mmCIF file of all heavy atoms in Angstrom:
data_model
loop_
_atom_site.group_PDB
_atom_site.id
_atom_site.type_symbol
_atom_site.label_atom_id
_atom_site.label_comp_id
_atom_site.label_asym_id
_atom_site.label_seq_id
_atom_site.Cartn_x
_atom_site.Cartn_y
_atom_site.Cartn_z
ATOM 1 N N ALA A 466 2.686 4.790 1.788
ATOM 2 C CA ALA A 466 1.945 5.671 1.008
ATOM 3 C C ALA A 466 2.800 6.834 0.593
ATOM 4 O O ALA A 466 2.596 7.347 -0.631
ATOM 5 C CB ALA A 466 0.748 6.257 1.833
ATOM 6 N N LEU A 467 3.589 7.444 1.439
ATOM 7 C CA LEU A 467 4.407 8.474 1.129
ATOM 8 C C LEU A 467 5.493 8.154 0.024
ATOM 9 O O LEU A 467 5.605 8.979 -0.936
ATOM 10 C CB LEU A 467 5.210 8.887 2.348
ATOM 11 C CG LEU A 467 5.946 10.248 2.445
ATOM 12 C CD1 LEU A 467 4.898 11.421 2.392
ATOM 13 C CD2 LEU A 467 6.879 10.353 3.659
ATOM 14 N N TYR A 470 3.527 7.610 -3.345
ATOM 15 C CA TYR A 470 2.950 8.969 -3.856
ATOM 16 C C TYR A 470 4.063 9.704 -4.473
ATOM 17 O O TYR A 470 3.909 10.238 -5.609
ATOM 18 C CB TYR A 470 2.430 9.615 -2.656
ATOM 19 C CG TYR A 470 1.977 11.157 -2.997
ATOM 20 C CD1 TYR A 470 0.660 11.491 -3.337
ATOM 21 C CD2 TYR A 470 2.927 12.125 -2.988
ATOM 22 C CE1 TYR A 470 0.244 12.642 -3.538
ATOM 23 C CE2 TYR A 470 2.531 13.402 -3.265
ATOM 24 C CZ TYR A 470 1.177 13.765 -3.589
ATOM 25 O OH TYR A 470 0.766 15.060 -3.856
ATOM 26 N N ARG A 471 5.215 9.734 -3.792
ATOM 27 C CA ARG A 471 6.409 10.484 -4.395
ATOM 28 C C ARG A 471 6.883 9.783 -5.730
ATOM 29 O O ARG A 471 7.589 10.478 -6.509
ATOM 30 C CB ARG A 471 7.491 10.575 -3.374
ATOM 31 C CG ARG A 471 7.070 11.640 -2.250
ATOM 32 C CD ARG A 471 8.167 11.575 -1.089
ATOM 33 N NE ARG A 471 7.912 12.620 -0.175
ATOM 34 C CZ ARG A 471 8.426 12.642 1.056
ATOM 35 N NH1 ARG A 471 9.344 11.704 1.410
ATOM 36 N NH2 ARG A 471 8.134 13.613 1.914
ATOM 37 N N VAL A 476 -2.649 6.986 -4.773
ATOM 38 C CA VAL A 476 -2.697 6.225 -3.585
ATOM 39 C C VAL A 476 -3.990 6.677 -2.794
ATOM 40 O O VAL A 476 -4.293 7.770 -2.636
ATOM 41 C CB VAL A 476 -1.473 6.507 -2.572
ATOM 42 C CG1 VAL A 476 -1.647 5.866 -1.258
ATOM 43 C CG2 VAL A 476 -0.128 6.102 -3.268
ATOM 44 N N ALA A 477 -4.621 5.547 -2.386
ATOM 45 C CA ALA A 477 -5.869 5.713 -1.361
ATOM 46 C C ALA A 477 -5.650 4.883 -0.202
ATOM 47 O O ALA A 477 -4.968 3.817 -0.323
ATOM 48 C CB ALA A 477 -7.159 5.489 -2.209
ATOM 49 N N MET A 478 -6.146 5.211 0.968
ATOM 50 C CA MET A 478 -6.028 4.345 2.189
ATOM 51 C C MET A 478 -7.328 4.242 2.880
ATOM 52 O O MET A 478 -8.239 5.072 2.682
ATOM 53 C CB MET A 478 -5.056 5.150 3.101
ATOM 54 C CG MET A 478 -3.782 5.577 2.401
ATOM 55 S SD MET A 478 -2.537 6.398 3.510
ATOM 56 C CE MET A 478 -1.842 4.942 4.272
ATOM 57 N N CYS A 492 1.179 9.683 10.595
ATOM 58 C CA CYS A 492 0.126 8.821 10.209
ATOM 59 C C CYS A 492 -1.012 9.452 9.451
ATOM 60 O O CYS A 492 -1.656 10.407 10.003
ATOM 61 C CB CYS A 492 -0.423 8.056 11.377
ATOM 62 S SG CYS A 492 0.765 6.973 12.180
ATOM 63 N N PHE A 493 -1.214 9.049 8.231
ATOM 64 C CA PHE A 493 -2.256 9.463 7.524
ATOM 65 C C PHE A 493 -3.675 9.273 8.138
ATOM 66 O O PHE A 493 -4.732 9.868 7.690
ATOM 67 C CB PHE A 493 -2.263 9.009 6.022
ATOM 68 C CG PHE A 493 -1.165 9.696 5.225
ATOM 69 C CD1 PHE A 493 -0.228 8.926 4.593
ATOM 70 C CD2 PHE A 493 -1.110 11.028 5.013
ATOM 71 C CE1 PHE A 493 0.860 9.565 3.933
ATOM 72 C CE2 PHE A 493 -0.149 11.603 4.212
ATOM 73 C CZ PHE A 493 0.876 10.811 3.692
ATOM 74 N N SER A 494 -3.730 8.334 8.932
ATOM 75 C CA SER A 494 -5.019 7.878 9.722
ATOM 76 C C SER A 494 -5.590 9.195 10.390
ATOM 77 O O SER A 494 -6.836 9.280 10.570
ATOM 78 C CB SER A 494 -4.706 6.842 10.685
ATOM 79 O OG SER A 494 -3.770 7.184 11.705
ATOM 80 N N GLU A 495 -4.780 10.197 10.878
ATOM 81 C CA GLU A 495 -5.344 11.363 11.405
ATOM 82 C C GLU A 495 -6.271 12.123 10.551
ATOM 83 O O GLU A 495 -7.087 12.958 11.020
ATOM 84 C CB GLU A 495 -4.131 12.315 11.752
ATOM 85 C CG GLU A 495 -3.337 11.828 13.002
ATOM 86 C CD GLU A 495 -4.137 12.056 14.267
ATOM 87 O OE1 GLU A 495 -4.895 11.271 14.627
ATOM 88 O OE2 GLU A 495 -4.023 13.177 14.904
ATOM 89 N N ALA A 496 -6.212 11.941 9.187
ATOM 90 C CA ALA A 496 -7.197 12.553 8.316
ATOM 91 C C ALA A 496 -8.677 12.135 8.544
ATOM 92 O O ALA A 496 -9.603 12.922 8.527
ATOM 93 C CB ALA A 496 -6.947 12.258 6.929
ATOM 94 N N LEU A 499 -9.299 14.362 11.993
ATOM 95 C CA LEU A 499 -9.197 15.690 11.878
ATOM 96 C C LEU A 499 -9.834 16.269 10.539
ATOM 97 O O LEU A 499 -9.940 17.504 10.421
ATOM 98 C CB LEU A 499 -7.721 16.099 12.033
ATOM 99 C CG LEU A 499 -7.031 15.622 13.284
ATOM 100 C CD1 LEU A 499 -5.536 16.188 13.191
ATOM 101 C CD2 LEU A 499 -7.693 16.250 14.558
ATOM 102 N N GLY A 500 -10.054 15.329 9.636
ATOM 103 C CA GLY A 500 -10.602 15.859 8.323
ATOM 104 C C GLY A 500 -9.559 15.965 7.290
ATOM 105 O O GLY A 500 -9.717 15.633 6.150
ATOM 106 N N GLN A 501 -8.258 16.339 7.758
ATOM 107 C CA GLN A 501 -7.163 16.411 6.885
ATOM 108 C C GLN A 501 -5.830 16.418 7.657
ATOM 109 O O GLN A 501 -5.840 16.755 8.896
ATOM 110 C CB GLN A 501 -7.162 17.558 5.866
ATOM 111 C CG GLN A 501 -6.968 18.898 6.551
ATOM 112 C CD GLN A 501 -6.817 20.001 5.639
ATOM 113 O OE1 GLN A 501 -7.697 20.146 4.629
ATOM 114 N NE2 GLN A 501 -5.750 20.885 5.679
ATOM 115 N N THR A 502 -4.775 15.963 7.154
ATOM 116 C CA THR A 502 -3.450 16.065 7.752
ATOM 117 C C THR A 502 -2.383 15.931 6.748
ATOM 118 O O THR A 502 -2.563 15.625 5.629
ATOM 119 C CB THR A 502 -3.416 14.794 8.772
ATOM 120 O OG1 THR A 502 -2.232 14.890 9.671
ATOM 121 C CG2 THR A 502 -3.115 13.469 7.921
ATOM 122 N N HIS A 503 -1.162 16.380 7.226
ATOM 123 C CA HIS A 503 0.059 16.237 6.355
ATOM 124 C C HIS A 503 0.978 15.258 7.028
ATOM 125 O O HIS A 503 1.135 15.225 8.288
ATOM 126 C CB HIS A 503 0.780 17.704 6.368
ATOM 127 C CG HIS A 503 0.291 18.625 5.358
ATOM 128 N ND1 HIS A 503 -0.718 19.449 5.638
ATOM 129 C CD2 HIS A 503 0.539 18.867 4.107
ATOM 130 C CE1 HIS A 503 -1.048 20.221 4.609
ATOM 131 N NE2 HIS A 503 -0.198 19.870 3.614
ATOM 132 N N VAL A 504 1.644 14.494 6.228
ATOM 133 C CA VAL A 504 2.829 13.687 6.646
ATOM 134 C C VAL A 504 3.899 14.180 5.859
ATOM 135 O O VAL A 504 3.813 14.109 4.643
ATOM 136 C CB VAL A 504 2.477 12.230 6.450
ATOM 137 C CG1 VAL A 504 3.793 11.375 6.800
ATOM 138 C CG2 VAL A 504 1.496 11.613 7.377
ATOM 139 N N GLU A 505 4.902 14.811 6.480
ATOM 140 C CA GLU A 505 5.938 15.520 5.898
ATOM 141 C C GLU A 505 5.279 16.539 4.954
ATOM 142 O O GLU A 505 4.502 17.383 5.427
ATOM 143 C CB GLU A 505 6.898 14.510 5.144
ATOM 144 C CG GLU A 505 7.615 13.603 6.152
ATOM 145 C CD GLU A 505 8.761 12.760 5.658
ATOM 146 O OE1 GLU A 505 9.226 13.093 4.515
ATOM 147 O OE2 GLU A 505 9.205 11.865 6.342
ATOM 148 N N ASP A 506 5.531 16.457 3.614
ATOM 149 C CA ASP A 506 4.959 17.459 2.739
ATOM 150 C C ASP A 506 3.768 17.018 1.923
ATOM 151 O O ASP A 506 3.436 17.606 0.915
ATOM 152 C CB ASP A 506 6.038 17.894 1.687
ATOM 153 C CG ASP A 506 6.666 16.801 0.900
ATOM 154 O OD1 ASP A 506 6.401 15.696 1.311
ATOM 155 O OD2 ASP A 506 7.379 17.111 -0.123
ATOM 156 N N VAL A 507 3.163 15.881 2.328
ATOM 157 C CA VAL A 507 2.027 15.213 1.526
ATOM 158 C C VAL A 507 0.786 15.434 2.254
ATOM 159 O O VAL A 507 0.614 15.107 3.500
ATOM 160 C CB VAL A 507 2.376 13.819 1.074
ATOM 161 C CG1 VAL A 507 1.213 13.205 0.522
ATOM 162 C CG2 VAL A 507 3.707 13.722 0.431
ATOM 163 N N LEU A 508 -0.231 15.965 1.509
ATOM 164 C CA LEU A 508 -1.564 16.196 2.148
ATOM 165 C C LEU A 508 -2.529 15.074 2.013
ATOM 166 O O LEU A 508 -2.650 14.420 0.850
ATOM 167 C CB LEU A 508 -2.243 17.434 1.547
ATOM 168 C CG LEU A 508 -3.686 17.806 1.949
ATOM 169 C CD1 LEU A 508 -3.783 18.132 3.389
ATOM 170 C CD2 LEU A 508 -4.064 18.991 1.000
ATOM 171 N N ALA A 509 -3.304 14.661 3.056
ATOM 172 C CA ALA A 509 -4.349 13.713 2.970
ATOM 173 C C ALA A 509 -5.571 14.308 3.491
ATOM 174 O O ALA A 509 -5.592 15.125 4.410
ATOM 175 C CB ALA A 509 -3.967 12.367 3.651
ATOM 176 N N LYS A 510 -6.704 13.870 2.901
ATOM 177 C CA LYS A 510 -7.975 14.295 3.414
ATOM 178 C C LYS A 510 -8.897 13.149 3.557
ATOM 179 O O LYS A 510 -8.868 12.156 2.838
ATOM 180 C CB LYS A 510 -8.581 15.311 2.405
ATOM 181 C CG LYS A 510 -7.957 16.706 2.345
ATOM 182 C CD LYS A 510 -8.707 17.692 1.540
ATOM 183 C CE LYS A 510 -7.966 19.072 1.593
ATOM 184 N NZ LYS A 510 -8.731 20.055 0.808
ATOM 185 N N ARG A 511 -9.896 13.267 4.462
ATOM 186 C CA ARG A 511 -10.883 12.219 4.666
ATOM 187 C C ARG A 511 -11.815 12.144 3.397
ATOM 188 O O ARG A 511 -12.313 13.266 2.946
ATOM 189 C CB ARG A 511 -11.704 12.395 5.891
ATOM 190 C CG ARG A 511 -12.682 11.402 6.161
ATOM 191 C CD ARG A 511 -13.399 11.418 7.565
ATOM 192 N NE ARG A 511 -14.308 10.378 7.644
ATOM 193 C CZ ARG A 511 -14.748 9.874 8.862
ATOM 194 N NH1 ARG A 511 -14.422 10.461 9.962
ATOM 195 N NH2 ARG A 511 -15.608 8.910 8.909
ATOM 196 N N LEU A 521 -10.255 13.505 -5.011
ATOM 197 C CA LEU A 521 -9.059 13.953 -4.289
ATOM 198 C C LEU A 521 -7.758 13.477 -4.985
ATOM 199 O O LEU A 521 -6.797 14.266 -5.075
ATOM 200 C CB LEU A 521 -8.958 13.390 -2.875
ATOM 201 C CG LEU A 521 -10.117 14.048 -1.984
ATOM 202 C CD1 LEU A 521 -10.262 13.257 -0.671
ATOM 203 C CD2 LEU A 521 -9.802 15.566 -1.702
ATOM 204 N N MET A 522 -7.686 12.202 -5.436
ATOM 205 C CA MET A 522 -6.547 11.676 -6.114
ATOM 206 C C MET A 522 -6.284 12.499 -7.423
ATOM 207 O O MET A 522 -5.092 12.696 -7.705
ATOM 208 C CB MET A 522 -6.719 10.196 -6.475
ATOM 209 C CG MET A 522 -6.552 9.334 -5.242
ATOM 210 S SD MET A 522 -6.508 7.645 -5.635
ATOM 211 C CE MET A 522 -8.233 7.256 -5.929
ATOM 212 N N LYS A 524 -6.403 15.448 -7.664
ATOM 213 C CA LYS A 524 -5.760 16.756 -7.177
ATOM 214 C C LYS A 524 -4.508 16.444 -6.511
ATOM 215 O O LYS A 524 -3.936 17.363 -5.939
ATOM 216 C CB LYS A 524 -6.700 17.513 -6.344
ATOM 217 C CG LYS A 524 -8.021 18.012 -7.024
ATOM 218 C CD LYS A 524 -8.849 18.759 -5.919
ATOM 219 C CE LYS A 524 -10.105 19.395 -6.665
ATOM 220 N NZ LYS A 524 -10.981 20.101 -5.700
ATOM 221 N N ARG A 525 -4.017 15.191 -6.549
ATOM 222 C CA ARG A 525 -2.744 14.675 -5.943
ATOM 223 C C ARG A 525 -2.928 14.922 -4.412
ATOM 224 O O ARG A 525 -1.975 15.298 -3.694
ATOM 225 C CB ARG A 525 -1.583 15.514 -6.472
ATOM 226 C CG ARG A 525 -1.311 15.098 -7.882
ATOM 227 C CD ARG A 525 -0.880 13.685 -8.079
ATOM 228 N NE ARG A 525 0.520 13.351 -7.422
ATOM 229 C CZ ARG A 525 0.857 12.004 -7.172
ATOM 230 N NH1 ARG A 525 0.085 11.065 -7.234
ATOM 231 N NH2 ARG A 525 2.026 11.850 -6.640
ATOM 232 N N ILE A 526 -4.047 14.496 -3.897
ATOM 233 C CA ILE A 526 -4.335 14.519 -2.493
ATOM 234 C C ILE A 526 -4.634 13.043 -2.095
ATOM 235 O O ILE A 526 -5.476 12.382 -2.784
ATOM 236 C CB ILE A 526 -5.413 15.376 -2.000
ATOM 237 C CG1 ILE A 526 -5.125 16.889 -2.296
ATOM 238 C CG2 ILE A 526 -5.813 15.198 -0.468
ATOM 239 C CD1 ILE A 526 -6.282 17.820 -2.121
ATOM 240 N N ILE A 527 -4.170 12.491 -1.029
ATOM 241 C CA ILE A 527 -4.321 11.061 -0.592
ATOM 242 C C ILE A 527 -5.643 11.033 0.103
ATOM 243 O O ILE A 527 -5.844 11.727 1.042
ATOM 244 C CB ILE A 527 -3.150 10.548 0.198
ATOM 245 C CG1 ILE A 527 -1.971 10.463 -0.488
ATOM 246 C CG2 ILE A 527 -3.511 9.169 0.707
ATOM 247 C CD1 ILE A 527 -0.725 9.926 0.120
ATOM 248 N N PRO A 528 -6.612 10.295 -0.438
ATOM 249 C CA PRO A 528 -7.840 10.073 0.304
ATOM 250 C C PRO A 528 -7.843 8.997 1.344
ATOM 251 O O PRO A 528 -7.194 8.009 1.137
ATOM 252 C CB PRO A 528 -8.892 9.680 -0.855
ATOM 253 C CG PRO A 528 -8.194 9.017 -1.776
ATOM 254 C CD PRO A 528 -6.708 9.666 -1.767
ATOM 255 N N VAL A 529 -8.284 9.215 2.587
ATOM 256 C CA VAL A 529 -8.426 8.226 3.635
ATOM 257 C C VAL A 529 -9.778 8.031 3.957
ATOM 258 O O VAL A 529 -10.532 9.084 4.295
ATOM 259 C CB VAL A 529 -7.550 8.724 4.910
ATOM 260 C CG1 VAL A 529 -7.464 7.528 5.827
ATOM 261 C CG2 VAL A 529 -6.212 9.213 4.402
#
Side-chain angles (χ1 to χ4, degrees):
L467 194 68
Y470 175 94
R471 288 173 173 165
V476 178
M478 309 181 80
C492 291
F493 285 120
S494 59
E495 282 288 87
L499 303 176
Q501 67 176 50
T502 194
H503 279 87
V504 173
E505 298 190 13
D506 59 345
V507 175
L508 174 64
K510 292 187 176 182
R511 180 169 184 167
L521 290 172
M522 284 187 286
K524 296 181 177 181
R525 292 296 288 162
I526 298 170
I527 294 178
V529 187

